[in-house]
Structures are given as C-alpha cells and as structure tokens.
Amino acid sequence: MENYENLVKQQRAFFRTGKTKDIKFRVDSLNTLQNAINKHEKELLAALRTDLNKSEAEGYSTEIKIVLEEIKFSLENLDAWMKPKEVDTPTFITGASSVIYPEPYGVALVIAPWNYPFQLAIAPLIGAMVAGNCAVLKPSEFTPTTSKVLAKLVKENFPENYIAVVEGEVETSTALLKEKFDYIFFTGSTPVGKVVMEAAAKHLTPVTLELGGKSPCIVHSDAELKSAAKRIARGKFLNAGQTCVAPDYILVQRQVKDQFLSELKDAIHVLYGEDISQNPDFPRIVNEKQFNRLTSFLNDGTLYLGSKTESSRLFIEPTILDQITWADPVMRDEIFGPILPVIVYDELPEIIEEITKRPKPLALYIFSESTEVQDQILGSVSFGGGCINETLAHLTSPFLPFGGVGESGMGSYHGQGSFDTFSHRKSILKRKAE
Ligand code: NAD
C-alpha cells in the first residue's frame, strides 16, 4: 500500500524553514528549471514522439516553448507580484492603513493528464514555485516515457523535500489524495475532478480544477470562411484533437455550410497533405481504449471527409461528420480526438438555447465579423474562455487567466493568474495606538 505521509511531512518541514519565501530562492529555482528544460529538450521531444507521435515542431511549440515563456514572464514580474499591496481604508476606521500580503499556501499537489504530458505538469508547477510553495507532482501513467523524463529532470535538479515527482496510476493518486495538502491543482476529466474535490473536502484543502467538456465553435454566415476554416483546422487537429480546448463541434449557419466545409477540407489538406495516413508527423491516439471509443463515432451522421483508421498504430484520420443532430452519440461527451461533427443552424437563438441547456463549456469560439453577433453570444452563454475569429490562442497569453466554469472546472492560472492561484491573500489592517 503506497503511503506519502513521510514525503508530505518532509516537504512541510522544508516549507517551515521559510526558504521558499525568499525571492532569491524562487528566482534561482525558476532559472534551474529553465536550464534543466533546455538541457533535456531533445530527450523530452523524443519522449513526446514515443508517447503520442508528436513531431519535433509540435512538441516544441506546445509543450516546451510555452512553459519556457511562462518561466520568462514569471521572472520578469515576480518582484511586483510578491510586493504587499496597499489598499484603501474606510474613513470610519481612523488612523489606520491596510495592506494585502500574498503568501504561499505551503505544500501543493499537482495532478496532470496525458494529452500535453509535459506542459500540463510543468505549467502548474511553475505557479506553485513562483508563489513560494513546495510541490508534489503526479504525472499521467498513459504517457510513461515523458513522465519518466519529467521525473528525472526534477530529481536531478531539486531536493525531494522541495519538489518531488511521484509516478504511478490511479492508486498512486488515491494514496496522495489521502494526505493533507495545502493546495491541490488538478487537470483532467470532469468525473475525476469530482473525486479530487471530494478528497480535498475531507481536509478543507482549496482546489483548482482544470477540466474538460464539449467546446462549441460557431461559424456565422458573415465569417471570413477561408480564415475560419484554416484556424479551426489547426485548432481541432493539433495533437490529433486531444486538446482540452479544441473545438469539439461546429455550429454553422445553413447558408454557408457547403462553402465552409469545402474550405475546411482544403485547409486540412494544406496542413497535413492529401493522404494523411502517409504523414509521419500526425499524432496518434494515446491508447487502445481511447482509439476504440473514438472509432465508435465514425458512423454518426454522414461522412464528409476522412474516417481512415489504423489500429496497429492508433491512427485516426481527421474526420468531418456532416448532418449531425444534438441527439447523436458523438454529441454526448467530449470527443477528444480528430473527429469533427457539424450541425447547421438558421438563427442564433436556436444554438444559444442548445448550448446553455448543456454543461458550461471550457472554451467557445465565435467566427463572425459582426460585433452584434459576438456580443449576443458572449452576453448569453457562460463558458471558461475562448476566442473570436481564432481557436486555442487565449490559452497562450499570460495576460488571460485560463480555466473553466461549472462542469469545465473552477479557478484559473497562467501568468499572474498562477501566482494568485497558489497564493493566499493575507489582509492586514495596521492602526496607530490611541
Ligand atoms: P483523467 O481525469 O483520467 O486523469 C488525470 C489524472 O488523474 C491522471 O494523472 C490520473 O492518474 C489521475 N486519476 C485518474 N483517475 C483517478 C481517480 N479515480 N482518483 C484520483 N486520480 C485519478 O484525465 P486524462 O484522461 O488524463 O485527461 C483528459 C481529460 O483532461 C479531458 O477531459 C480533458 O478535457 C481534460 N483536460 C483539461 C485541461 C484543462 O486545462 N482544463 C487540459 C488537458 C486535459
């Protein structure tokens, strides 16, 4: 039976020395992490190729560069974020001033998924470090090669009583969750998010839950269709659709459907070639269970493009399913693969009603040149975050806190959002003696 009581105890003892609160310690640690990532770059890219067949270019931009940018941004801003903030004091409290002190929670637990196995483990870890916490990191068991490199990289550079990687399956997560942490940051599916929150409740540990869901992508008749098709193809089929904020399904206004689908087909071919099964760089599905779940959707609606599969190498071609209805199996849960269902609509209120009947999405994308259309959707649908006339990009900005709402999660991170997430705000009122 796995037991992590001792590990947490050691981290708590180290936290109590106060070392992690020192700005120099945090800066040095971030620099160490940055150097370690650069040093292990080749090994990491090879691991991502093994685990998910990510190309070097895709692996570098979506897993390595993004965390290096996060470190750089944190190093530039840490000093300002850490400073106590003076705020106003109401006039009925005379002779007083008020200050908010950000302080680290203590020992944080980070649980990561498999789809961006490096980025989604390291980015929250950076937040924990920037805010001055110790951390235990549990990467996914479904991308074991990357998890191994990650564990090695951390072990080589940080003492275990500051940062530890614990590899393992569900049992490992369960054993870790028995311990009392001061903060839990979980990225993964909505059902497991509920398990994590229940475990956290036993210790009253605060949580951030970065979950998933079905993210709609709306293509209105006044959209620039060629540009929309290009950006949707890129966002949907990156990592073979295994992206939490990938457009899950398309809602397209009836009068432009044919033209949009034709543009989308062209865009997919420009990105991946005419015969995608011959493209050595198209990512694979993570495992057989996911492959079988995904291929079961291929008979929904009518096939517009794709549907080639090869089980021996877990390959599924980018596939567009036309004439889908809200009742089709592919519309039940998050797809998380290279299958794109298309539903047509006549007027916006129809789709606004359908989306708002369902769990709040993690992301939503609007393709329209009209600010009225954009505002109508933004004003009536609740979702984590998203883009207008683009896909995925909101996730890459350190100025936009990233996270879900409702069943797609709670809390957010990236940039100052990460520092704030892993910090408690201690409010102090200082008053002069009478
Ligand atoms: P998952 O929920 O199955 O697993 C995530 C982590 O939780 C893994 O480390 C796993 O070992 C652990 N885990 C699994 N079952 C557990 C249990 N019963 N108790 C405790 N821990 C458990 O998710 P996944 O399949 O790795 O990732 C895919 C999901 O993650 C999708 O739903 C996707 O949308 C979501 N996701 C969200 C974001 C985001 O930023 N919001 C990012 C990536 C993925």
Side-chain angles (χ1 to χ4, degrees), residues 11 50 67 81 100 124 179 187 191 193 211 216 234 286 296 305 310 333 369 375 393 400 413 418 422:
Q11 288 212 346
T50 306
V67 297
W81 296 340
I100 300 171
E179 300 306 322
T187 307
L211 311 177
R234 213 166 44 202
V286 69
S296 75
L305 181 77
E310 275 177 53
D333 295 313
E369 292 302 299
D375 290 347
L400 290 173
Y413 75 133
S418 295
F422 284 97

Side-chain angles (χ1 to χ4, degrees), residues 1 16 328:
M1 186 68 185
R16 288 206 178 117
D328 283 318

